[in-house]
């Protein structure tokens, strides 16, 4: 459901859907609550409700802030992993210029197949949360095979060969990290805590008594909007390869890799 929403709606549309939906739910619940229990508007229990609401709000706010900061950090780390992997592949293409023409052609052909497989085949799977190692496995093996079959003839070629092999080893490690990140999501218990906590805070705001209907709706709506925006942030940051804020495959089309497109 989460991935479907991110891949079928823009961030703006999700804002209206999540935040607007939460505000509408809160306002509707407020109207129903005051109609069913009109005594609540008197504010007789405001002292107790205020203390409980403040305590729950503080705890929930800390948990939510921790989750959002952690997800944002993971998104930035994923962007760095993708950029570093593309840089490592670019370095192989640059080092191959020191090799004989036939070897350079073979290396470039292997890199061409790899970057196209990453962008055109692997990326759509990662957007769907189904990152698959097998999609690029043969392409990685081909790059290793080309380097294994080549024996440097000079110290200069040996130096560039060593650098190219090291860059390939780095790219393989970063590839694994990238695919693993596409599968990661918040644990179910943490998702339940976040959504459940939002509903608890909403329920407590309904118990806070205010005589003015307009002020009450404004109070409930404002709290609901704040919580809704927080839930929206969790939604769009949880999946680094889905949605408008997703990590882009652009690094695999830039710099030394631009020649393969």
């Amino acid at each position: 459901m989460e991935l479907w929403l991110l891949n079928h709606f823009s961030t703006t549309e999700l804002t209206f859907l999540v935040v607007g939906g939460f505000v509408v739910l809160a306002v509707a619940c407020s109207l129903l609550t005051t109609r069913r229990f009109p005594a609540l508007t008197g504010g007789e229990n405001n002292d107790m409700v205020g203390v409980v609401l403040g305590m729950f709000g503080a705890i929930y706010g800390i948990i939510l802030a921790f989750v959002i900061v952690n997800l944002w950090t993971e998104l930035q780390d994923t962007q760095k992993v993708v950029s570093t992997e593309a840089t490592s592949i670019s370095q192989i293409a640059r080092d191959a210029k020191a090799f004989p023409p036939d070897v350079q052609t073979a290396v470039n052909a292997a890199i061409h197949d790899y970057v196209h497989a990453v962008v055109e085949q692997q990326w759509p799977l990662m957007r769907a949360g189904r990152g698959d190692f097998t999609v690029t496995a043969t392409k990685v093996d081909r790059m290793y095979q080309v380097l294994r079959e080549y024996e440097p003839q000079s110290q200069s070629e040996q130096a560039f060969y060593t650098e190219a092999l090291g860059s390939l080893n780095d790219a393989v490690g970063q590839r694994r990290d990238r695919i693993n990140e596409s599968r990661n999501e918040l644990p179910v218990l943490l998702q339940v805590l976040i959504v459940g906590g939002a509903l608890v805070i909403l329920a407590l705001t309904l118990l806070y008594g205010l005589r003015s209907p307009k002020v009450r709706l404004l109070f409930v709506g404002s709290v609901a909007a704040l919580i809704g925006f927080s839930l929206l942030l969790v939604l769009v940051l949880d999946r680094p390869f889905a949605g408008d804020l997703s990590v882009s495959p652009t690094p695999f089309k830039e710099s030394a890799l631009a020649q393969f497109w």
Side-chain angles (χ1 to χ4, degrees):
M1 182 63 177
E2 177 185 7
L3 284 170
W4 185 86
L5 288 173
L6 289 172
N7 290 326
H8 288 82
F9 294 93
S10 66
T11 302
T12 302
E13 292 171 335
L14 285 175
T15 301
F16 284 105
L17 184 63
V18 177
V19 181
F22 208 73
V23 171
V24 170
L25 174 64
V27 170
C29 289
S30 178
L31 294 174
L32 291 175
T33 302
T34 53
R35 179 175 298 180
R36 180 68 179 82
F37 305 102
L40 287 176
T41 58
E44 296 178 358
N45 300 317
N46 280 3
D47 291 341
M48 180 188 69
V49 173
V51 172
V52 176
L53 182 60
M55 180 180 65
F56 273 72
I59 296 174
Y60 182 71
I62 293 172
I63 295 174
L64 200 57
F66 171 78
V67 170
I68 292 174
V69 170
N70 186 63
L71 290 176
W72 176 251
T73 301
E74 287 184 359
L75 178 62
Q76 291 181 313
D77 290 343
T78 303
Q79 290 175 329
K80 184 177 180 180
V81 166
V82 170
S83 178
T84 305
E85 179 187 359
T87 300
S88 297
I89 299 297
S90 297
Q91 192 60 49
I92 298 174
R94 292 190 178 95
D95 291 334
K97 293 180 180 180
F99 303 160
D102 58 329
V103 178
Q104 181 182 352
T105 300
V107 171
N108 286 342
I111 293 175
H112 173 278
D113 292 342
Y114 178 75
V115 296
H116 276 267
V118 168
V119 175
E120 297 171 355
Q121 300 176 38
Q122 203 163 55
W123 222 267
L125 292 175
M126 293 193 300
R127 284 181 62 87
R130 303 195 309 271
D132 190 351
F133 288 96
T134 61
V135 173
T136 52
T138 58
K139 310 300 186 295
V140 172
D141 291 341
R142 177 56 184 163
M143 287 191 287
Y144 273 113
Q145 181 181 355
V146 170
L147 292 179
R148 279 198 305 268
E149 293 175 349
Y150 168 58
E151 293 189 9
Q153 301 299 315
S154 66
Q155 290 185 348
S156 175
E157 290 181 0
Q158 179 63 51
F160 281 103
Y161 176 83
T162 302
E163 288 292 333
L165 187 58
S167 296
L168 180 55
N169 289 333
D170 292 340
V172 170
Q174 291 141 8
R175 164 180 168 268
R176 176 174 293 276
D177 291 340
R178 168 173 54 80
I179 296 174
N180 285 334
E181 283 294 335
S182 72
R183 300 173 175 178
N184 288 341
E185 62 177 328
L186 283 177
V188 175
L189 288 178
L190 195 53
Q191 294 181 28
V192 172
L193 175 61
I194 291 174
V195 176
L199 296 177
V200 169
I201 298 298
L202 175 60
L204 289 172
T205 60
L206 300 180
L207 299 178
Y208 198 83
L210 292 168
R211 295 188 180 278
S212 172
K214 293 182 179 180
V215 175
R216 177 181 174 82
L217 292 179
L218 180 61
F219 169 67
V220 173
S222 299
V223 174
L226 179 60
I227 296 177
F229 271 112
S230 300
L231 294 179
L232 176 66
L233 279 175
V234 173
L235 174 64
V236 299
L237 295 176
D238 188 25
R239 296 288 190 159
F241 292 98
D244 289 348
L245 297 181
S246 61
V247 178
S248 169
T250 302
F252 287 95
K253 300 181 179 181
E254 297 177 333
S255 189
L257 300 181
Q259 61 183 306
F260 303 113
W261 295 92

